[in-house]
Amino acid sequence: MSDNIKVKVQNMTKRFGDLLVLDDISFDVKKGEFLCIVGPTGCGKTTFLNCITKLYEPSAGEILIGGEPVNLKKHNIAYIFQEYSTMPWLTVEQNVAFGLEIKGIDKATIKKEVAEVLEIVGLTAYRDYYPVELSTSMVQRVVIARAFATKPELLLMDEPYGQLDVELRFKLEDELIRLWKRTGTTVIFITHNIEEAVYLSENILVLTNKPTTIKKKLENTLPRPRSVVDPAFVKVRNEVTELIKWW
Ligand SMILES: Nc1ncnc2c1ncn2[C@@H]1O[C@H](COP(=O)(O)OP(=O)(O)OP(=O)(O)O)[C@@H](O)[C@H]1O
Ligand SMILES: [Mg+2]
C-alpha cells in the first residue's frame, strides 16, 4: 500500500441486525487530507466513525490506518462528537491538558503545548474559566484545542458546528483550517452543510440513502482562503447540491 494513504476503507459493510447501513464501501484518505463526508440523516456517518474508533466492528471488510488494522493504543486518533462536550469540573486549561495527561506526558511539556494551542484558538485569557462561564463558541474552541493538543494523526469530527450560527461557524472553520495546516493532521469531517463542506474540504465524499454507498468523491481544488460568494465557489457548491438529491 502506498505510504501516502492514511486511512483505507476496504469493502466495509455494517449491519445492525437486519438493517443494512453501510453497503460495501471503499475509499482512501490521503495523509494530511481534509475530507468532508456529506450524507442524509441516518445513512451511517456516525456509524462509520464509530467503526474507525472500534466502538463497532464492521460486519464485513476493514479499515486500515497507515496500512494496519486500527489499534487505539498505537494510533493517535481524536474524535469530536456530534454532541461535543467539555468536562465541566475542569477549567479551560485543565480540559485542554486532559488528553495529554492521560498519555503520561511530563508536566512542563503539557504546560507549553497547552499554552500554545490556547493562544491559537484565542482562549489564553480564559484559561482559568470553567466551561459554564463560556459561550457556546468558546466551549467549542476548548474542544478543538483539546483535540489538537494531542497532535492526532487522525482527527474525526462529527457535525461539530451544527448548532452554531453562521458567523461563529465561519470563525471556527477558519481556525480549524489554520490548525490543520499547521499540524498536517488528516481530518475526516462530517457535515450536512454543503457550503461548509466546500469551504473546508480538499475532497468531498457524497453518500446515498440506506443501504449506503458512495455516490461520488469530488476533488475540491478551490484556492484558499475561500470565499462563499466567489463564483468558482458557488459553482462547486452547486455541483455538490446537484449530487445531493436525497429526497
Ligand atoms: N447501535 C445501534 N443499533 C441499532 N441501530 C443503529 C445503531 N447505531 C445506529 N443505528 C442505525 O444505523 C443507521 C445509521 O445511524 P447513524 O447514527 O450512523 O446515522 P448518521 O448518518 O450519523 O445520521 P445523522 O445525520 O442523523 O447524524 C440509523 O438507521 C440508526 O438507527
Ligand atoms: Mg450522526
Side-chain angles (χ1 to χ4, degrees):
M1 181 159 88
S2 154
D3 283 348
N4 198 26
I5 293 172
K6 187 78 212 174
V7 182
K8 191 166 194 67
V9 180
Q10 245 168 346
N11 303 103
M12 196 194 129
T13 293
K14 180 64 189 170
R15 315 169 180 273
F16 293 104
D18 290 339
L19 181 70
L20 176 56
V21 179
L22 298 169
D23 185 11
D24 195 21
I25 298 224
S26 298
F27 64 94
D28 294 341
V29 189
K30 288 195 303 287
K31 215 176 250 172
E33 179 174 335
F34 198 122
L35 175 73
C36 282
I37 301 181
V38 295
T41 291
C43 78
K45 302 180 296 297
T46 300
T47 298
F48 167 66
L49 295 185
N50 286 338
C51 286
I52 298 188
T53 59
K54 309 280 269 187
L55 190 61
Y56 301 147
E57 279 298 318
S59 310
E62 62 179 344
I63 301 173
L64 302 174
I65 310 255
E68 299 169 307
V70 184
N71 175 350
L72 296 180
K73 288 220 175 81
K74 175 164 185 198
H75 299 126
N76 188 0
I77 301 174
Y79 191 168
I80 297 181
F81 296 91
Q82 208 158 359
E83 283 89 31
Y84 59 84
S85 63
T86 51
M87 287 161 274
W89 62 92
L90 300 178
T91 64
V92 166
E93 189 171 33
Q94 291 164 343
N95 262 284
V96 176
F98 185 79
L100 296 169
E101 278 162 4
I102 56 177
K103 283 182 198 293
I105 293 168
D106 68 274
K107 280 217 165 75
T109 308
I110 292 179
K111 207 169 165 56
K112 182 177 151 278
E113 309 225 320
V114 169
E116 194 181 311
V117 76
L118 284 178
E119 191 62 37
I120 296 171
V121 299
L123 285 177
T124 304
Y126 297 91
R127 62 179 177 270
D128 296 325
Y129 283 53
Y130 287 88
V132 287
E133 301 173 285
L134 305 176
S135 69
T136 315
S137 76
M138 287 160 93
V139 171
Q140 174 55 269
R141 287 198 179 122
V142 175
V143 174
I144 299 271
R146 188 174 60 200
F148 274 98
T150 65
K151 300 201 165 57
E153 57 189 304
L154 177 61
L155 174 62
L156 309 174
M157 302 181 78
D158 196 353
E159 304 230 31
Y161 304 145
Q163 318 301 324
L164 302 177
D165 71 49
V166 177
E167 203 181 320
L168 287 176
R169 219 188 62 217
F170 280 137
K171 264 191 165 154
L172 290 165
E173 285 167 1
D174 285 343
E175 219 151 66
L176 174 61
I177 290 298
R178 265 208 309 280
L179 282 162
W180 165 65
K181 287 203 152 165
R182 238 176 114 114
T183 55
T185 295
T186 308
V187 183
I188 300 180
F189 186 107
I190 284 167
T191 178
H192 270 104
N193 187 317
I194 297 165
E195 185 175 88
E196 181 171 47
V198 177
Y199 192 74
L200 292 172
S201 69
E202 292 190 298
N203 284 291
I204 303 174
L205 200 67
V206 181
L207 301 176
T208 66
N209 264 311
K210 280 192 295 271
T212 303
T213 56
I214 294 170
K215 187 147 191 192
K216 191 162 183 184
K217 187 170 177 182
L218 276 106
E219 206 184 340
N220 177 5
T221 54
L222 289 170
R224 298 179 198 268
R226 294 177 177 165
S227 157
V228 295
V229 292
D230 173 7
F233 185 100
V234 174
K235 188 161 171 272
V236 178
R237 198 191 65 206
N238 289 342
E239 222 175 286
V240 180
T241 309
E242 269 309 299
L243 284 168
I244 301 180
K245 293 271 160 71
W246 291 320
W247 48 91

